[in-house]
Amino acid sequence: MTEKEKMLRGEWHDANFDDTLLKERRNAESHCYDFNIARPGSSEQITALKNLLGTELPDGLTVLAPVYFDYGPYTHFGKGTFVNHGCYFMDGGGIHIGENVFIGPYCGFYTASHPLNYADRNKGLERVLPIVVGDNCWFGANVSVLQGVTIGTGCVIAAGSVVTKDIPDNCLVAGVPATIKKRIEQ
């Protein structure tokens, strides 16, 4: 089994030294560069984003520069989603963002973790798990979402929060780690 196949299955894999994964990340870095230096809203910027994500863009998607992806094609955005400046998508495990999601500046979505044991970590081992975000969510500035987390529809994640566990629909969460502060009546 290849390291990429292991990655896509959520197994421990060599993320740091595998030529295939390194090539894919370099390719994403190149497309991010093209997107980030292009004139905002220009055809060059839109083309760079399409090349980065490897697909046509959903209606109403807005992504502001700079933005960073580890791979690109493993991140999927729904219609009407807005991504503010400085966001990072560590998307080896897959990131699925629903429709009409507002993502504040400097948010990070991190699907990867590394072994606690430094000998294994130094071998380049990594494990990725998907992140799933429902429709109509709002992320304040500087939110971090960690691997394996599912956030339900209609949630609000307060600025500076670190989301480490699943959040049910229609919740306001805040803190480090983020906890439910109240249910939101929709």
Side-chain angles (χ1 to χ4, degrees):
M1 182 179 313
T2 68
E3 297 304 307
K4 181 176 177 175
E5 289 169 334
K6 291 178 193 176
M7 178 184 83
L8 295 174
R9 291 174 56 142
E11 298 176 4
W12 290 105
H13 62 281
D14 175 1
N16 289 1
F17 306 110
D18 179 72
D19 288 337
T20 299
L21 295 177
L22 289 171
K23 181 179 177 184
E24 286 188 25
R25 287 200 307 274
R26 280 193 301 271
N27 184 54
E29 187 175 14
S30 178
H31 290 309
C32 286
Y33 176 83
D34 292 343
F35 176 85
N36 291 332
I37 67 164
R39 181 172 299 283
S42 67
S43 62
E44 291 83 9
Q45 190 179 53
I46 292 166
T47 298
L49 188 58
K50 287 179 184 178
N51 290 339
L52 175 62
L53 297 177
T55 187
E56 288 298 313
L57 304 179
D59 291 340
L61 173 65
T62 300
V63 178
L64 301 182
V67 69
Y68 306 96
F69 295 80
D70 273 4
Y71 295 95
Y74 305 132
T75 299
H76 305 277
F77 294 107
K79 296 176 183 176
T81 291
F82 176 84
V83 179
N84 214 319
H85 300 285
C87 291
Y88 176 44
F89 298 89
M90 183 184 284
D91 60 348
I95 300 171
H96 300 273
I97 307 290
E99 295 185 0
N100 301 307
V101 174
F102 292 2
I103 300 173
Y106 305 104
C107 288
F109 297 81
Y110 305 97
T111 67
S113 69
H114 302 281
L116 297 178
N117 176 292
Y118 69 81
D120 290 335
R121 193 169 54 247
N122 290 344
K123 293 176 188 174
L125 292 180
E126 176 179 283
R127 184 180 70 186
V128 294
L129 298 172
I131 293 172
V132 178
V133 176
D135 297 338
N136 301 304
C137 291
W138 172 28
F139 293 80
N142 295 299
V143 169
S144 294
V145 180
L146 302 187
Q147 70 166 188
V149 168
T150 295
I151 298 172
T153 294
C155 290
V156 176
I157 315 301
S161 296
V162 178
V163 184
T164 62
K165 295 181 180 172
D166 292 354
I167 306 296
D169 291 350
N170 303 313
C171 288
L172 168 65
V173 300
V176 179
T179 58
I180 296 172
K181 301 302 180 185
K182 71 181 223 175
R183 301 286 178 162
I184 300 169
E185 294 296 325
Q186 300 292 359

